[in-house]
Amino acid sequence: AFHKFCVSEHSDENIRFLEVTASKPTGAAAQKVYDAFISNKSSMQVNLTSATFAIFHKAATEKKLDAAPWDTARSEILKMLKADSFTRFKANIDKFL
């Protein structure tokens, strides 16, 4: 139901990001996740802090995404979902159950 809510408010990239990073991505998978969700060129870019984004950008530039702070990124997305989207979801839960 929460995923459906996120789709309705055009923020499902956050849920998708959490799904694909449940196991820390490595190698080509890490690059694919970076391209899809973190890169400035992504159409599904998640909202990371500028500091975390800078670390990812540097890691991508240096081809070292395996060492990128995936747990930090996940924590930031979870915190944002809890504070923003989930609060709105709880207020409208009847519409999505």
mmCIF file of all heavy atoms in Angstrom, residues 10-48:
data_model
loop_
_atom_site.group_PDB
_atom_site.id
_atom_site.type_symbol
_atom_site.label_atom_id
_atom_site.label_comp_id
_atom_site.label_asym_id
_atom_site.label_seq_id
_atom_site.Cartn_x
_atom_site.Cartn_y
_atom_site.Cartn_z
ATOM 1 N N HIS A 10 4.414 10.380 -7.083
ATOM 2 C CA HIS A 10 5.601 10.433 -7.954
ATOM 3 C C HIS A 10 6.907 10.409 -7.167
ATOM 4 O O HIS A 10 7.845 11.146 -7.481
ATOM 5 C CB HIS A 10 5.540 11.645 -8.883
ATOM 6 C CG HIS A 10 4.277 11.727 -9.657
ATOM 7 N ND1 HIS A 10 4.003 10.896 -10.711
ATOM 8 C CD2 HIS A 10 3.190 12.518 -9.495
ATOM 9 C CE1 HIS A 10 2.807 11.172 -11.182
ATOM 10 N NE2 HIS A 10 2.283 12.144 -10.462
ATOM 11 N N SER A 11 6.965 9.564 -6.151
ATOM 12 C CA SER A 11 8.197 9.417 -5.372
ATOM 13 C C SER A 11 8.589 7.950 -5.221
ATOM 14 O O SER A 11 9.290 7.601 -4.272
ATOM 15 C CB SER A 11 8.045 10.069 -3.997
ATOM 16 O OG SER A 11 7.060 9.408 -3.231
ATOM 17 N N ASP A 12 8.158 7.116 -6.144
ATOM 18 C CA ASP A 12 8.462 5.691 -6.023
ATOM 19 C C ASP A 12 9.924 5.358 -6.312
ATOM 20 O O ASP A 12 10.379 4.260 -6.032
ATOM 21 C CB ASP A 12 7.529 4.844 -6.893
ATOM 22 C CG ASP A 12 7.658 5.120 -8.366
ATOM 23 O OD1 ASP A 12 7.663 6.303 -8.754
ATOM 24 O OD2 ASP A 12 7.753 4.151 -9.136
ATOM 25 N N GLU A 13 10.700 6.324 -6.808
ATOM 26 C CA GLU A 13 12.121 6.069 -7.018
ATOM 27 C C GLU A 13 12.804 5.755 -5.689
ATOM 28 O O GLU A 13 13.761 4.977 -5.644
ATOM 29 C CB GLU A 13 12.818 7.255 -7.714
ATOM 30 C CG GLU A 13 12.958 8.506 -6.882
ATOM 31 C CD GLU A 13 11.716 9.384 -6.856
ATOM 32 O OE1 GLU A 13 10.725 9.065 -7.531
ATOM 33 O OE2 GLU A 13 11.748 10.403 -6.142
ATOM 34 N N ASN A 14 12.298 6.307 -4.614
ATOM 35 C CA ASN A 14 12.882 6.032 -3.307
ATOM 36 C C ASN A 14 12.697 4.567 -2.914
ATOM 37 O O ASN A 14 13.635 3.919 -2.445
ATOM 38 C CB ASN A 14 12.255 6.949 -2.247
ATOM 39 C CG ASN A 14 12.538 8.399 -2.531
ATOM 40 O OD1 ASN A 14 13.670 8.784 -2.728
ATOM 41 N ND2 ASN A 14 11.492 9.217 -2.568
ATOM 42 N N ILE A 15 11.509 4.049 -3.100
ATOM 43 C CA ILE A 15 11.232 2.641 -2.802
ATOM 44 C C ILE A 15 12.059 1.749 -3.723
ATOM 45 O O ILE A 15 12.652 0.761 -3.277
ATOM 46 C CB ILE A 15 9.724 2.329 -2.969
ATOM 47 C CG1 ILE A 15 8.875 3.201 -2.045
ATOM 48 C CG2 ILE A 15 9.446 0.854 -2.756
ATOM 49 C CD1 ILE A 15 9.044 2.952 -0.582
ATOM 50 N N ARG A 16 12.111 2.072 -4.994
ATOM 51 C CA ARG A 16 12.895 1.288 -5.951
ATOM 52 C C ARG A 16 14.371 1.270 -5.569
ATOM 53 O O ARG A 16 15.030 0.237 -5.640
ATOM 54 C CB ARG A 16 12.734 1.841 -7.362
ATOM 55 C CG ARG A 16 11.366 1.642 -7.933
ATOM 56 C CD ARG A 16 11.260 2.419 -9.210
ATOM 57 N NE ARG A 16 10.276 1.868 -10.098
ATOM 58 C CZ ARG A 16 10.183 2.184 -11.370
ATOM 59 N NH1 ARG A 16 11.032 3.033 -11.915
ATOM 60 N NH2 ARG A 16 9.241 1.666 -12.118
ATOM 61 N N PHE A 17 14.900 2.434 -5.164
ATOM 62 C CA PHE A 17 16.288 2.514 -4.741
ATOM 63 C C PHE A 17 16.536 1.585 -3.551
ATOM 64 O O PHE A 17 17.520 0.847 -3.520
ATOM 65 C CB PHE A 17 16.659 3.957 -4.376
ATOM 66 C CG PHE A 17 18.066 4.102 -3.860
ATOM 67 C CD1 PHE A 17 19.135 4.122 -4.731
ATOM 68 C CD2 PHE A 17 18.314 4.206 -2.489
ATOM 69 C CE1 PHE A 17 20.439 4.248 -4.263
ATOM 70 C CE2 PHE A 17 19.606 4.344 -2.016
ATOM 71 C CZ PHE A 17 20.671 4.359 -2.899
ATOM 72 N N LEU A 18 15.651 1.617 -2.579
ATOM 73 C CA LEU A 18 15.803 0.745 -1.417
ATOM 74 C C LEU A 18 15.758 -0.719 -1.808
ATOM 75 O O LEU A 18 16.508 -1.545 -1.264
ATOM 76 C CB LEU A 18 14.734 1.061 -0.368
ATOM 77 C CG LEU A 18 14.854 2.427 0.299
ATOM 78 C CD1 LEU A 18 13.655 2.678 1.205
ATOM 79 C CD2 LEU A 18 16.159 2.552 1.063
ATOM 80 N N GLU A 19 14.903 -1.054 -2.753
ATOM 81 C CA GLU A 19 14.809 -2.445 -3.216
ATOM 82 C C GLU A 19 16.111 -2.912 -3.858
ATOM 83 O O GLU A 19 16.600 -3.997 -3.552
ATOM 84 C CB GLU A 19 13.656 -2.602 -4.213
ATOM 85 C CG GLU A 19 12.289 -2.498 -3.589
ATOM 86 C CD GLU A 19 11.169 -2.442 -4.624
ATOM 87 O OE1 GLU A 19 11.428 -2.248 -5.819
ATOM 88 O OE2 GLU A 19 10.018 -2.601 -4.191
ATOM 89 N N VAL A 20 16.669 -2.093 -4.745
ATOM 90 C CA VAL A 20 17.858 -2.537 -5.482
ATOM 91 C C VAL A 20 19.142 -2.413 -4.670
ATOM 92 O O VAL A 20 20.171 -2.940 -5.083
ATOM 93 C CB VAL A 20 18.020 -1.822 -6.844
ATOM 94 C CG1 VAL A 20 16.825 -2.090 -7.742
ATOM 95 C CG2 VAL A 20 18.271 -0.338 -6.678
ATOM 96 N N THR A 21 19.080 -1.743 -3.530
ATOM 97 C CA THR A 21 20.268 -1.637 -2.691
ATOM 98 C C THR A 21 20.133 -2.447 -1.398
ATOM 99 O O THR A 21 20.949 -2.296 -0.489
ATOM 100 C CB THR A 21 20.582 -0.167 -2.350
ATOM 101 O OG1 THR A 21 19.470 0.413 -1.668
ATOM 102 C CG2 THR A 21 20.945 0.631 -3.594
ATOM 103 N N ALA A 22 19.121 -3.308 -1.320
ATOM 104 C CA ALA A 22 18.943 -4.149 -0.133
ATOM 105 C C ALA A 22 20.203 -4.971 0.129
ATOM 106 O O ALA A 22 20.624 -5.144 1.267
ATOM 107 C CB ALA A 22 17.728 -5.047 -0.288
ATOM 108 N N SER A 23 20.789 -5.468 -0.934
ATOM 109 C CA SER A 23 22.116 -6.075 -0.881
ATOM 110 C C SER A 23 23.034 -5.069 -1.539
ATOM 111 O O SER A 23 22.747 -4.591 -2.640
ATOM 112 C CB SER A 23 22.158 -7.383 -1.673
ATOM 113 O OG SER A 23 21.297 -8.319 -1.109
ATOM 114 N N LYS A 24 24.113 -4.735 -0.877
ATOM 115 C CA LYS A 24 25.017 -3.706 -1.399
ATOM 116 C C LYS A 24 25.433 -4.038 -2.830
ATOM 117 O O LYS A 24 26.009 -5.081 -3.095
ATOM 118 C CB LYS A 24 26.257 -3.619 -0.520
ATOM 119 C CG LYS A 24 27.253 -2.587 -0.970
ATOM 120 C CD LYS A 24 28.473 -2.598 -0.073
ATOM 121 C CE LYS A 24 29.568 -1.778 -0.694
ATOM 122 N NZ LYS A 24 30.794 -1.836 0.083
ATOM 123 N N PRO A 25 25.112 -3.144 -3.789
ATOM 124 C CA PRO A 25 25.492 -3.410 -5.176
ATOM 125 C C PRO A 25 27.007 -3.300 -5.378
ATOM 126 O O PRO A 25 27.656 -2.457 -4.755
ATOM 127 C CB PRO A 25 24.745 -2.344 -5.978
ATOM 128 C CG PRO A 25 24.401 -1.283 -5.004
ATOM 129 C CD PRO A 25 24.369 -1.909 -3.644
ATOM 130 N N THR A 26 27.529 -4.159 -6.217
ATOM 131 C CA THR A 26 28.962 -4.139 -6.530
ATOM 132 C C THR A 26 29.141 -4.266 -8.033
ATOM 133 O O THR A 26 28.227 -4.665 -8.758
ATOM 134 C CB THR A 26 29.708 -5.293 -5.835
ATOM 135 O OG1 THR A 26 29.133 -6.536 -6.231
ATOM 136 C CG2 THR A 26 29.656 -5.173 -4.315
ATOM 137 N N GLY A 27 30.330 -3.935 -8.487
ATOM 138 C CA GLY A 27 30.678 -4.091 -9.898
ATOM 139 C C GLY A 27 29.738 -3.356 -10.826
ATOM 140 O O GLY A 27 29.366 -2.209 -10.593
ATOM 141 N N ALA A 28 29.337 -4.052 -11.886
ATOM 142 C CA ALA A 28 28.453 -3.463 -12.895
ATOM 143 C C ALA A 28 27.100 -3.079 -12.300
ATOM 144 O O ALA A 28 26.494 -2.093 -12.712
ATOM 145 C CB ALA A 28 28.270 -4.428 -14.061
ATOM 146 N N ALA A 29 26.643 -3.835 -11.311
ATOM 147 C CA ALA A 29 25.351 -3.526 -10.673
ATOM 148 C C ALA A 29 25.428 -2.184 -9.950
ATOM 149 O O ALA A 29 24.470 -1.401 -9.978
ATOM 150 C CB ALA A 29 24.953 -4.629 -9.705
ATOM 151 N N ALA A 30 26.548 -1.897 -9.311
ATOM 152 C CA ALA A 30 26.713 -0.614 -8.613
ATOM 153 C C ALA A 30 26.660 0.542 -9.611
ATOM 154 O O ALA A 30 26.025 1.569 -9.346
ATOM 155 C CB ALA A 30 28.029 -0.598 -7.839
ATOM 156 N N GLN A 31 27.298 0.367 -10.752
ATOM 157 C CA GLN A 31 27.269 1.411 -11.778
ATOM 158 C C GLN A 31 25.853 1.616 -12.293
ATOM 159 O O GLN A 31 25.401 2.745 -12.496
ATOM 160 C CB GLN A 31 28.211 1.055 -12.937
ATOM 161 C CG GLN A 31 28.302 2.138 -13.999
ATOM 162 C CD GLN A 31 28.951 3.415 -13.486
ATOM 163 O OE1 GLN A 31 30.035 3.375 -12.912
ATOM 164 N NE2 GLN A 31 28.289 4.552 -13.683
ATOM 165 N N LYS A 32 25.144 0.516 -12.478
ATOM 166 C CA LYS A 32 23.764 0.583 -12.972
ATOM 167 C C LYS A 32 22.863 1.328 -11.980
ATOM 168 O O LYS A 32 22.054 2.167 -12.371
ATOM 169 C CB LYS A 32 23.249 -0.843 -13.202
ATOM 170 C CG LYS A 32 22.044 -0.953 -14.053
ATOM 171 C CD LYS A 32 21.754 -2.424 -14.342
ATOM 172 C CE LYS A 32 20.700 -2.551 -15.389
ATOM 173 N NZ LYS A 32 20.414 -3.938 -15.730
ATOM 174 N N VAL A 33 23.027 1.042 -10.690
ATOM 175 C CA VAL A 33 22.236 1.719 -9.660
ATOM 176 C C VAL A 33 22.601 3.199 -9.613
ATOM 177 O O VAL A 33 21.725 4.064 -9.530
ATOM 178 C CB VAL A 33 22.424 1.048 -8.280
ATOM 179 C CG1 VAL A 33 21.755 1.877 -7.175
ATOM 180 C CG2 VAL A 33 21.875 -0.365 -8.299
ATOM 181 N N TYR A 34 23.896 3.498 -9.681
ATOM 182 C CA TYR A 34 24.334 4.895 -9.698
ATOM 183 C C TYR A 34 23.704 5.632 -10.882
ATOM 184 O O TYR A 34 23.151 6.718 -10.714
ATOM 185 C CB TYR A 34 25.863 4.979 -9.768
ATOM 186 C CG TYR A 34 26.354 6.397 -9.940
ATOM 187 C CD1 TYR A 34 26.474 7.244 -8.848
ATOM 188 C CD2 TYR A 34 26.666 6.903 -11.203
ATOM 189 C CE1 TYR A 34 26.893 8.561 -9.004
ATOM 190 C CE2 TYR A 34 27.082 8.213 -11.365
ATOM 191 C CZ TYR A 34 27.193 9.038 -10.270
ATOM 192 O OH TYR A 34 27.594 10.336 -10.426
ATOM 193 N N ASP A 35 23.783 5.046 -12.058
ATOM 194 C CA ASP A 35 23.235 5.683 -13.259
ATOM 195 C C ASP A 35 21.725 5.889 -13.159
ATOM 196 O O ASP A 35 21.200 6.914 -13.590
ATOM 197 C CB ASP A 35 23.551 4.852 -14.504
ATOM 198 C CG ASP A 35 25.032 4.831 -14.847
ATOM 199 O OD1 ASP A 35 25.788 5.699 -14.361
ATOM 200 O OD2 ASP A 35 25.440 3.919 -15.607
ATOM 201 N N ALA A 36 21.039 4.924 -12.572
ATOM 202 C CA ALA A 36 19.579 4.980 -12.507
ATOM 203 C C ALA A 36 19.048 5.908 -11.415
ATOM 204 O O ALA A 36 18.007 6.538 -11.595
ATOM 205 C CB ALA A 36 19.019 3.573 -12.294
ATOM 206 N N PHE A 37 19.767 6.000 -10.287
ATOM 207 C CA PHE A 37 19.187 6.682 -9.132
ATOM 208 C C PHE A 37 20.009 7.823 -8.537
ATOM 209 O O PHE A 37 19.474 8.586 -7.738
ATOM 210 C CB PHE A 37 18.917 5.670 -8.009
ATOM 211 C CG PHE A 37 17.900 4.643 -8.373
ATOM 212 C CD1 PHE A 37 18.292 3.374 -8.776
ATOM 213 C CD2 PHE A 37 16.548 4.922 -8.329
ATOM 214 C CE1 PHE A 37 17.362 2.412 -9.108
ATOM 215 C CE2 PHE A 37 15.607 3.978 -8.670
ATOM 216 C CZ PHE A 37 16.012 2.713 -9.064
ATOM 217 N N ILE A 38 21.272 7.942 -8.865
ATOM 218 C CA ILE A 38 22.103 8.944 -8.199
ATOM 219 C C ILE A 38 22.645 9.994 -9.165
ATOM 220 O O ILE A 38 22.676 11.181 -8.839
ATOM 221 C CB ILE A 38 23.248 8.261 -7.420
ATOM 222 C CG1 ILE A 38 22.651 7.328 -6.358
ATOM 223 C CG2 ILE A 38 24.167 9.296 -6.787
ATOM 224 C CD1 ILE A 38 23.645 6.446 -5.648
ATOM 225 N N SER A 39 23.044 9.583 -10.323
ATOM 226 C CA SER A 39 23.627 10.489 -11.314
ATOM 227 C C SER A 39 22.706 11.674 -11.603
ATOM 228 O O SER A 39 21.479 11.542 -11.594
ATOM 229 C CB SER A 39 23.884 9.725 -12.616
ATOM 230 O OG SER A 39 24.184 10.609 -13.664
ATOM 231 N N ASN A 40 23.317 12.825 -11.889
ATOM 232 C CA ASN A 40 22.526 14.001 -12.289
ATOM 233 C C ASN A 40 21.744 13.748 -13.575
ATOM 234 O O ASN A 40 20.780 14.453 -13.855
ATOM 235 C CB ASN A 40 23.437 15.215 -12.490
ATOM 236 C CG ASN A 40 23.751 15.909 -11.194
ATOM 237 O OD1 ASN A 40 22.955 15.899 -10.260
ATOM 238 N ND2 ASN A 40 24.926 16.495 -11.117
ATOM 239 N N LYS A 41 22.153 12.771 -14.350
ATOM 240 C CA LYS A 41 21.486 12.465 -15.614
ATOM 241 C C LYS A 41 20.297 11.514 -15.436
ATOM 242 O O LYS A 41 19.590 11.237 -16.388
ATOM 243 C CB LYS A 41 22.485 11.852 -16.597
ATOM 244 C CG LYS A 41 23.605 12.804 -16.963
ATOM 245 C CD LYS A 41 24.622 12.142 -17.859
ATOM 246 C CE LYS A 41 25.785 13.084 -18.134
ATOM 247 N NZ LYS A 41 26.822 12.441 -18.935
ATOM 248 N N SER A 42 20.099 11.039 -14.229
ATOM 249 C CA SER A 42 19.033 10.071 -13.968
ATOM 250 C C SER A 42 17.659 10.733 -13.997
ATOM 251 O O SER A 42 17.470 11.821 -13.472
ATOM 252 C CB SER A 42 19.245 9.428 -12.601
ATOM 253 O OG SER A 42 18.108 8.679 -12.243
ATOM 254 N N SER A 43 16.706 10.033 -14.584
ATOM 255 C CA SER A 43 15.324 10.518 -14.561
ATOM 256 C C SER A 43 14.617 10.081 -13.274
ATOM 257 O O SER A 43 13.500 10.514 -13.005
ATOM 258 C CB SER A 43 14.561 10.005 -15.782
ATOM 259 O OG SER A 43 14.506 8.591 -15.758
ATOM 260 N N MET A 44 15.269 9.229 -12.470
ATOM 261 C CA MET A 44 14.701 8.750 -11.204
ATOM 262 C C MET A 44 15.631 9.096 -10.048
ATOM 263 O O MET A 44 15.757 8.339 -9.087
ATOM 264 C CB MET A 44 14.502 7.233 -11.252
ATOM 265 C CG MET A 44 13.517 6.742 -12.256
ATOM 266 S SD MET A 44 13.252 4.959 -12.150
ATOM 267 C CE MET A 44 14.856 4.321 -12.643
ATOM 268 N N GLN A 45 16.286 10.224 -10.102
ATOM 269 C CA GLN A 45 17.284 10.583 -9.101
ATOM 270 C C GLN A 45 16.662 10.696 -7.709
ATOM 271 O O GLN A 45 15.640 11.352 -7.520
ATOM 272 C CB GLN A 45 17.956 11.901 -9.466
ATOM 273 C CG GLN A 45 19.114 12.250 -8.555
ATOM 274 C CD GLN A 45 19.767 13.570 -8.933
ATOM 275 O OE1 GLN A 45 19.101 14.487 -9.386
ATOM 276 N NE2 GLN A 45 21.070 13.653 -8.739
ATOM 277 N N VAL A 46 17.305 10.028 -6.744
ATOM 278 C CA VAL A 46 16.871 10.134 -5.355
ATOM 279 C C VAL A 46 17.528 11.363 -4.729
ATOM 280 O O VAL A 46 18.525 11.873 -5.235
ATOM 281 C CB VAL A 46 17.203 8.855 -4.544
ATOM 282 C CG1 VAL A 46 16.385 7.675 -5.042
ATOM 283 C CG2 VAL A 46 18.688 8.545 -4.566
ATOM 284 N N ASN A 47 16.959 11.812 -3.638
ATOM 285 C CA ASN A 47 17.406 13.041 -2.996
ATOM 286 C C ASN A 47 18.383 12.721 -1.869
ATOM 287 O O ASN A 47 17.980 12.447 -0.744
ATOM 288 C CB ASN A 47 16.198 13.803 -2.464
ATOM 289 C CG ASN A 47 16.544 15.175 -1.980
ATOM 290 O OD1 ASN A 47 17.640 15.674 -2.219
ATOM 291 N ND2 ASN A 47 15.620 15.795 -1.274
ATOM 292 N N LEU A 48 19.674 12.764 -2.179
ATOM 293 C CA LEU A 48 20.717 12.549 -1.185
ATOM 294 C C LEU A 48 21.274 13.891 -0.748
ATOM 295 O O LEU A 48 21.154 14.885 -1.470
ATOM 296 C CB LEU A 48 21.847 11.707 -1.779
ATOM 297 C CG LEU A 48 21.478 10.305 -2.253
ATOM 298 C CD1 LEU A 48 22.674 9.640 -2.916
ATOM 299 C CD2 LEU A 48 20.963 9.458 -1.102
#
